[in-house]
Amino acid sequence: MELPSNLIPDEASPEWMNKGDNAWQLTTATLVGLQTIPGLVILYGSMVKRKWAINSAFMAFYAFAMVLVCWVGWGFRMSFGDKLVFFLGKPGVALDEKFLLKRAFAGYLPTATMVFFQSVFAAITVVLIAGSLLGRMNFRAWILFVPLWFTFSYTIAAFSIWCPQGWLAKLGVIDFAGGFVIHLSAGVAGFTAAFWVGPRAEKDRRNCPPNNVILMLAGAGLLWMGWSGFNGGAPFVASTISGLAILNTHVCTATSILTWLLLDSLFFGKPSVLGAIQGMITGLVCITPAAGVVQCWAAIIMGIISGSVPWYTMMVLHNKVKLLKLVDDPIAIFHTHAIAGGLGGILTGFFAVPKLCRLFYMVTDWEKYLGLVYGLQNGRTPAGFKQMGIQIAAMGFVIVLNVVVTSIICWFIGLIVPLRMSDEELENGDDAVHGEEAFALWHEGERLVGRRHNNKVYDTHEFSFVESKGEVQMV
Amino acid sequence: MDANQIAYTANERAPAVPQWLNKGDNAWQMTASTLVGIQSMPGLVILYASIVKKKWAVNSAFMALYAFAAVLICWVLVCYRMAFGDELLPFWGKGAPALGQKYLVIRARVPESRHRVTTDRYETTVPFFPMASLVYFQFTFAAITLILLAGSVLGRMNIKAWMAFVPLWLIFSYTVGAFSLWGGGFLYHWGVIDYSGGYVIHLSSGIAGLTAAYWVGPRLKSDRERFPPNNVLLMLAGAGLLWMGWSGFNGGAPYAANIDSSIAVLNTNVCAATSLLVWTSLDVVFFGKPSVIGAVQGMMTGLVCITPGAGLVQPWAAIVMGMLSGSIPWVSMMILHKKCSWLQQVDDTLGVFHTHAVAGLLGGLLTGLLAEPDLCRLILPTETRGAVYGGNGGVQFVKQIVAALFVIAWNVASTTIILLVIRLFIPLRMPDNQLEIGDDAVHGEEAYALWGDGEKYDPTKHGWHTSSYSEVTASSRFVDGARGVTISL
C-alpha cells in the first residue's frame, strides 16, 4: 500500500516517528509544564499569607528551572537509561543531537520529546515538596535541596517503577502516570523535610489566610486542566487509552470535589472554595496511578474515596495524631499527596482492568497486570492478590526511600547552611528574604510598608513609610 | 513493541491504535477539549471572580467551579447519550451511562446523524478517534454553557438553589438543544447550521440566564448601583484564556485536524479582533474613553457571533460579522437596554443576554446569510448555502430563524419550570443578611488577605477610609475582628 505524501518519511521525520504522537506528546509536556509555570507558582504565591507570597512562588519557580538543568545533565539517564543497579540507571548527559534525535526508549517519538516530557514530571515533584516547606525554609537550603533530592530520590523511584528495567516495573507494578513516583514520593519527602526544617513562626501558623483566592483559582485551574497532559501523555501515543485516561481523570476529580464539598457543608456548614481545591487535588492525585487502566465508573468510586478519606485524615485524624500535629505542613501536602497517592495506588490494585493494561503496556506478558476485582471475578484470585501485594510493596519502597534519603539530605545541608530562616527573616517575610513585595496597590500603586531591605537592582525609588491606618484606599 | 514496525502502516498491530484511529485527529481533539476546559477552569472562574464586586468574588468563582464539576458527573452518568445517543424523541436522545470501557474505547459515533448522501449511500458522523475523546470534548461545551448561565445570576442566587439547578437544566434544556441541532435531531436533519454552538451554547445560555435572572430576583440595590470589578488584570487573564481557548472551541468542531478546522481557528480570531476594535471605537465615540472592560465585552461578542459559522464562512465574512457583533450588541446593551423598562427590571448581572443571546442570534442569522457552499460541503449533512450565495440560501435564512425561535421558546419554558420547582423546596435568592455581607456569609472565605501582616480587611485594625473612589463607610454592625468584613452602605 502506498502511503499518501504527508506520511512519507524524510530525514527530519524518520520512518519510526509518528507526527500525531509527537505533536500530542509535545502538547502534553507543555500542559504539564504549565501546571508548574505558572500553575503552582501562582497557586503557592496566592495560597499563603501575603508576606510569604514571593518566597513561595520563587521556591517553585527556581525548582522547575534547576530540575530541568539537572535532568539533561544526568537525571534522564539515571531514570530511564542503561541499568547501573536494579534500582538506578547510569548517569550520563542527554545533551547532544546524536542522542536526542534517536528514537525514544518507548513510543514513535524522538528522545528529545521524551526527555522534555519526563523533565516536567521530575520538576513538578520537587515543586510539590516545596509546598510542605513554605514560609520558613532558608532559601539557600532550598537551593541545595532541589538538586540533591532530585538526584538521590526521584531518579531511584522513577527507574524502579517506570523504566522497563527497573525492579518494580519487572515485578509488574502499575503506576500509570505517577501516583507513586510523583505524589506519594513528594508527600512523604515533604513531610520528612518539614519535620527536619521545623515549623513556621507561631504567629504565621495561627493566622494564615490565602492572600488572593481568585489567583489561587487561576493556579488551580491550570493544575486541573493541565492534568489532561499529565495522564493523557502517559501512554506515549495518541491512542484510545489516552482519551480514556483524560476522561477518567476529570471524572474522578469532579466527583472528588463534590464529595469534599458535601463533607464541608455537612460538618462546617459552608461550602468553601479552598476545600473545593483540596478535593480537586486529591481527586487528581488519586486517579493518577490508574487513569488509563480503570473503568470510568471505577473513576467515580475512586473520586468518592479520594474526596472523603483524605478529608477525614486532614480534618479529623490530623488533630488526634501527635506526630501529624507536630510537623508543620502549611497546605497539607501530606494529606493531599501522600495519603491520596497511596490510596490511588491501592485502588489501582483493585480496579485495573486486564484488557486496558494490555492496551497500555503492550507487552507480551501483559496478563501479569490484574486488578483484584478482576482476579476475583475471573478466578485468578492469587494473581489479583499478587498485584495488590506489588502495589503495597512499591508503596513501602517509596516511603522508606524518601524518609531515609530526605533525612540524610536535610542533615547534610544542615552542615552547610541552616535549614530554617533566621528569626528576623521569619518576622518580615518576603521583604527580608528577597527585597520584594507581592503587591503595590496602595495610593498610586505604592508599597504598603517602608523598605528596610532595599533591592537596589530592581527598585526605582524609595518610599516613605505609609501608615496603614486612615490612608489605605481600595480602588 | 515491534522495532520493525514503522510509525504509519495499514498493518500496525497495536491494540490501543485500531485501524480507525487517526493519531493526528485524536491528538487534536484531546487538545481542543483541554483548551475549552481551560476556558472554564480557570478562565471563566477567574473572570467571574474578578469582574464582580469584591464581596462576591469567591461566590461567583464557586458557582462556576461547582457547575464545571457537577456537569461532568451528570454528563457521563446519563446526559451525553441524551444529547448524542440513540433517539428517544425527535428532539431528545435516550439517556444512558457512558461509563464502561466497552463503550468508551470503541470508535466515536453519533448514531442519529445518519443521513442520506445519494439515493443509495448514507453517511454517519464517525470521527477517527475513540468515544472517550468525544464524550470529554462535548462535556467541556456543556459545562461552559452552565457557567455562562451563571453570569446572569451572580451576586444573589442561593448557592443551594444553584447546586440543584445545574443538573436539572443540563438534563431538561441543554441536552434537548444539543440533540436537536447536533446529535441528529430534527433541526440537524432539516439543515440548520450551528457549527460550534451559537444556538446550543450561547443563545441558549443567554435566554436561560435572563429567564433565571427574572425568577431569582435582583441583587441588593446597593450592589446594583455600585459593582466595580475588583481586579481588572486578573479579569484580563481570564479573558485571555477565554479567547485563546476558543481555538479549541471552534477548531475542535469538525472532529478532525483538517482544513475546515484551520479556517475555523483563523475566522474565530479575526472576528474577535474586529469586534473588539469596533466596540472600543464605539466606546470612545460615545463615552470619550476606551475602556478595557468594554474591550473584553467586544472580544466576547465577536467570539460568540462567529461560533455558529466559524468553519463555514469566508474570512472576509468573519470581518463583517465582527463589525456587526461589535456594534449591534453594543447598541442593545448600552442604548436599548436603558430604554426598555422590562429589561431594566430584570437584573442580568454580567449582561449575558446581550453578549450571548443577542450576539449568538446575530451569529446564527449571519451564518444563514454568509455560509459559503464549498465550506459547507466539507462538514454539513445536506447541500447548504447562505442567502448571499443564492440558490436555496434564502430558505437557509428562514431555517436559522425557526431554529432560534425553538431554542428561545424551549429555554424560557424549561428554565421557568425548573426554577419554579426548585423554589418549592429551596428559596432562589439569598436571604438579606447574606446579601449584605457576601462571600464571608456564604462561604466563610474572602478573596483577599492583603492588609497588614497579610490579613483580611478589618476596619478596627486597618482604619476607616474615605475617598472619591470607594464607598463612604460607617460603623458596620457586621464587624468581626478576626474574620474580616465587607463594608455595607
Side-chain angles (χ1 to χ4, degrees):
Chain A
M1 187 188 100
E2 171 136 337
L3 292 173
S5 62
N6 76 83
L7 294 179
I8 296 176
D10 57 44
E11 219 187 321
S13 302
E15 45 95 27
W16 47 256
M17 192 189 84
N18 180 297
K19 291 184 178 181
D21 288 342
N22 200 25
W24 177 236
Q25 207 66 34
L26 289 168
T27 304
T28 55
T30 305
L31 284 169
V32 179
L34 282 166
Q35 285 187 305
T36 307
I37 308 283
L40 281 179
V41 167
I42 61 180
L43 186 83
Y44 283 2
S46 45
M47 210 166 183
V48 297
K49 202 168 175 176
R50 194 209 77 218
K51 90 194 222 200
W52 294 116
I54 293 204
N55 181 250
S56 311
F58 203 167
M59 284 176 80
F61 204 65
Y62 158 75
F64 187 85
M66 188 59 175
V67 168
L68 248 65
V69 174
C70 299
W71 189 248
V72 293
W74 57 87
F76 175 74
R77 293 175 87 152
M78 281 173 86
S79 308
F80 294 100
D82 301 319
K83 193 167 88 167
L84 176 68
V85 283
F86 65 94
F87 58 84
L88 194 58
K90 285 193 203 127
V93 296
L95 288 171
D96 63 295
E97 56 92 9
K98 265 219 195 59
F99 177 74
L100 292 171
L101 293 185
K102 280 203 318 238
R103 183 175 176 181
F105 68 86
Y108 295 115
L109 309 164
T111 299
T113 303
M114 181 64 80
V115 171
F116 180 55
F117 178 74
Q118 293 293 353
S119 76
V120 290
F121 281 72
I124 204 171
T125 312
V126 183
V127 173
L128 290 172
I129 296 177
S132 303
L133 303 167
L134 300 174
R136 81 281 203 181
M137 187 173 190
N138 179 358
F139 200 74
R140 293 208 169 89
W142 176 244
I143 288 177
L144 293 172
F145 183 91
V146 168
L148 286 171
W149 187 87
F150 157 76
T151 307
F152 294 109
S153 174
Y154 182 83
T155 51
I156 294 177
F159 186 87
S160 305
I161 293 177
W162 277 343
C163 185
Q165 306 178 72
W167 67 284
L168 282 166
K170 286 208 191 118
L171 279 177
V173 71
I174 302 175
D175 187 2
F176 186 80
F180 291 152
V181 179
I182 318 275
H183 301 294
L184 178 62
S185 203
V188 172
F191 190 77
T192 310
F195 173 80
W196 292 110
V197 169
R200 289 166 289 169
E202 190 52 39
K203 194 171 61 148
D204 289 343
R205 274 186 96 167
R206 258 186 290 117
N207 185 21
C208 51
N211 71 76
N212 194 329
V213 171
I214 313 174
L215 200 55
M216 198 175 77
L217 282 164
L222 290 171
L223 206 55
W224 184 357
M225 287 299 111
W227 224 283
S228 294
F230 205 100
N231 291 348
F236 305 146
V237 54
S239 67
T240 52
I241 294 296
S242 39
L244 183 65
I246 290 178
L247 184 64
N248 280 344
T249 299
H250 298 295
V251 166
C252 178
T253 308
T255 312
S256 185
I257 290 177
L258 297 172
T259 308
W260 196 290
L261 282 177
L262 186 66
L263 290 169
D264 265 354
S265 300
L266 285 174
F267 285 87
F268 300 125
K270 295 178 186 163
S272 102
V273 137
L274 190 49
I277 292 179
Q278 300 285 40
M280 176 197 95
I281 292 176
T282 56
L284 289 164
V285 168
C286 183
I287 193 65
T288 296
V293 293
V294 297
Q295 300 266 29
C296 199
W297 53 259
I300 292 185
I301 296 175
M302 290 173 77
I304 296 175
I305 295 176
S306 72
S308 46
V309 172
W311 184 96
Y312 176 76
T313 64
M314 197 192 289
M315 306 298 186
V316 180
L317 209 58
H318 189 100
N319 296 325
K320 296 188 178 168
V321 175
K322 224 173 101 198
L323 174 65
L324 288 177
K325 276 208 293 196
L326 193 67
V327 178
D328 183 16
D329 186 4
I331 53 179
I333 294 278
F334 176 74
H335 298 279
T336 55
H337 287 78
I339 304 265
L343 209 51
I346 293 177
L347 289 169
T348 308
F350 258 121
F351 289 119
V353 181
K355 170 187 167 182
L356 296 175
C357 292
R358 186 180 91 234
L359 296 185
F360 174 57
Y361 284 103
M362 299 211 284
V363 290
T364 39
D365 60 340
W366 59 272
E367 288 192 345
K368 69 183 185 212
Y369 300 109
L370 179 71
L372 184 56
V373 161
Y374 297 92
L376 294 167
Q377 196 185 57
N378 301 338
R380 289 180 58 206
T381 317
F385 276 110
K386 181 168 175 234
Q387 182 72 58
M388 187 61 83
I390 296 169
Q391 301 295 109
I392 295 177
M395 252 176 84
F397 172 70
V398 168
I399 293 172
V400 171
L401 170 73
N402 276 294
V403 171
V404 170
V405 170
T406 310
S407 299
I408 295 175
I409 289 174
C410 286
W411 164 81
F412 175 72
I413 294 176
L415 298 174
I416 306 173
V417 286
L419 288 171
R420 197 165 176 258
M421 286 180 193
S422 68
D423 278 342
E424 198 210 342
E425 286 177 319
L426 285 171
E427 174 71 34
N428 291 308
D430 287 340
D431 203 22
V433 182
H434 302 284
E436 293 179 297
E437 275 184 38
F439 296 95
L441 297 173
W442 293 265
H443 278 257
E444 294 176 41
E446 293 159 16
R447 305 271 173 80
L448 182 58
V449 292
R451 314 293 306 292
R452 271 172 275 204
H453 304 271
N454 289 315
N455 182 340
K456 289 274 187 239
V457 180
Y458 293 102
D459 196 19
T460 48
H461 34 260
E462 314 259 25
F463 298 113
S464 55
F465 191 83
V466 173
E467 283 278 2
S468 57
K469 263 176 59 165
E471 303 246 341
V472 173
Q473 174 177 308
M474 298 311 300
V475 179
Chain B
M1 216 171 315
D2 184 353
N4 289 327
Q5 285 184 306
I6 64 169
Y8 304 100
T9 167
N11 300 313
E12 180 171 348
R13 294 261 155 69
V17 189
Q19 293 275 38
W20 46 258
L21 191 147
N22 182 302
K23 292 177 176 182
D25 287 346
N26 195 24
W28 175 234
Q29 205 65 35
M30 293 190 285
T31 303
S33 320
T34 304
L35 285 169
V36 181
I38 288 180
Q39 286 187 304
S40 287
M41 178 62 184
L44 279 179
V45 167
I46 62 178
L47 189 106
Y48 281 5
S50 29
I51 207 172
V52 296
K53 199 170 179 177
K54 183 172 67 107
K55 93 194 227 204
W56 292 117
V58 174
N59 181 250
S60 309
F62 186 88
M63 285 175 79
L65 178 57
Y66 165 79
F68 191 77
V71 166
L72 180 51
I73 301 308
C74 300
W75 195 247
V76 292
L77 282 174
V78 67
C79 290
Y80 170 75
R81 291 170 85 159
M82 285 173 87
F84 294 95
D86 301 315
E87 184 177 301
L88 176 71
L89 294 164
F91 54 88
W92 225 1
K94 272 190 218 142
L99 285 173
Q101 56 89 15
K102 260 215 195 75
Y103 180 79
L104 290 169
V105 157
I106 58 172
R107 184 174 182 173
R109 182 185 179 81
V110 183
E112 298 302 334
S113 67
R114 187 166 181 272
H115 56 271
R116 172 182 274 135
V117 180
T118 57
T119 33
D120 49 0
R121 213 184 86 212
Y122 287 83
E123 241 176 38
T124 312
T125 304
V126 269
F128 294 113
F129 49 76
M131 200 57 112
S133 302
L134 187 59
V135 171
Y136 185 60
F137 178 72
Q138 289 298 347
F139 148 69
T140 57
F141 282 68
I144 206 170
T145 312
L146 260 307
I147 297 178
L148 290 172
L149 209 165
S152 293
V153 289
L154 297 177
R156 81 286 204 171
M157 188 168 186
N158 180 345
I159 192 72
K160 295 196 172 78
W162 174 249
M163 287 179 172
F165 179 82
V166 168
L168 289 172
W169 193 87
L170 179 71
I171 292 173
F172 291 108
S173 177
Y174 182 79
T175 51
V176 169
F179 186 82
S180 304
L181 283 158
W182 285 342
F186 74 108
L187 292 171
Y188 173 87
H189 284 289
W190 194 32
V192 176
I193 304 174
D194 189 2
Y195 175 83
S196 189
Y199 286 169
V200 179
I201 319 274
H202 302 295
L203 179 59
S204 202
S205 60
I207 296 291
L210 189 72
T211 312
Y214 173 79
W215 289 109
V216 170
R219 289 166 287 168
L220 267 192
K221 183 158 174 296
S222 59
D223 284 344
R224 282 189 86 172
E225 280 166 0
R226 185 151 171 75
F227 205 74
N230 70 77
N231 195 328
V232 173
L233 292 176
L234 209 47
M235 186 193 79
L236 282 167
L241 292 173
L242 210 53
W243 186 350
M244 290 304 115
W246 223 283
S247 296
F249 203 99
N250 290 347
Y255 298 158
N258 61 18
I259 50 182
D260 200 45
S261 163
S262 307
I263 294 236
V265 171
L266 182 63
N267 282 343
T268 301
N269 286 286
V270 163
C271 185
T274 310
S275 183
L276 187 158
L277 295 170
V278 169
W279 189 292
T280 306
S281 307
L282 287 169
D283 269 352
V284 169
V285 166
F286 284 88
F287 300 126
K289 295 186 186 150
S291 116
V292 115
I293 296 168
V296 169
Q297 302 280 40
M299 171 204 93
M300 204 91 78
T301 55
L303 290 165
V304 169
C305 181
I306 192 66
T307 296
L312 306 168
V313 301
Q314 307 254 35
W316 59 257
I319 294 184
V320 170
M321 289 171 81
M323 289 188 208
L324 292 169
S325 70
S327 45
I328 294 178
W330 186 96
V331 169
S332 81
M333 195 193 280
M334 304 299 188
I335 299 182
L336 287 179
H337 188 103
K338 299 189 162 75
K339 296 194 172 163
C340 172
S341 65
W342 180 80
L343 271 181
Q344 293 253 346
Q345 267 186 355
V346 179
D347 183 16
D348 177 2
T349 313
L350 297 185
V352 181
F353 171 74
H354 299 282
T355 53
H356 288 79
V358 172
L361 176 60
L362 184 65
L365 297 179
L366 285 172
T367 305
L369 291 176
L370 296 166
E372 210 272 342
D374 286 334
L375 291 173
C376 292
R377 214 166 284 130
L378 294 178
I379 56 165
L380 290 181
T382 51
E383 259 305 306
T384 314
R385 58 180 61 215
V388 156
Y389 293 92
N392 65 341
V395 177
Q396 186 64 46
F397 189 70
V398 171
K399 290 183 186 177
Q400 299 298 109
I401 296 177
V402 170
L405 291 172
F406 172 75
V407 170
I408 293 170
W410 186 273
N411 273 291
V412 172
S414 59
T415 309
T416 301
I417 295 174
I418 290 170
L419 285 169
L420 291 177
V421 167
I422 294 177
R423 200 169 71 174
L424 296 172
F425 303 96
I426 309 171
L428 297 177
R429 195 169 178 260
M430 289 180 199
D432 275 344
N433 64 328
Q434 276 190 355
L435 285 171
E436 294 278 357
I437 301 178
D439 286 339
D440 204 17
V442 184
H443 300 284
E445 292 177 301
E446 274 184 38
Y448 299 99
L450 298 173
W451 292 265
D453 198 26
E455 294 151 21
K456 295 184 190 168
Y457 190 84
D458 174 8
T460 59
K461 268 168 63 178
H462 303 125
W464 306 109
H465 60 267
T466 63
S467 83
S468 52
Y469 293 109
S470 61
E471 298 143 2
V472 175
T473 69
S475 172
S476 167
R477 67 184 184 279
F478 301 106
V479 170
D480 177 1
R483 296 180 66 215
V485 70
T486 20
I487 313 298
S488 69
L489 283 169

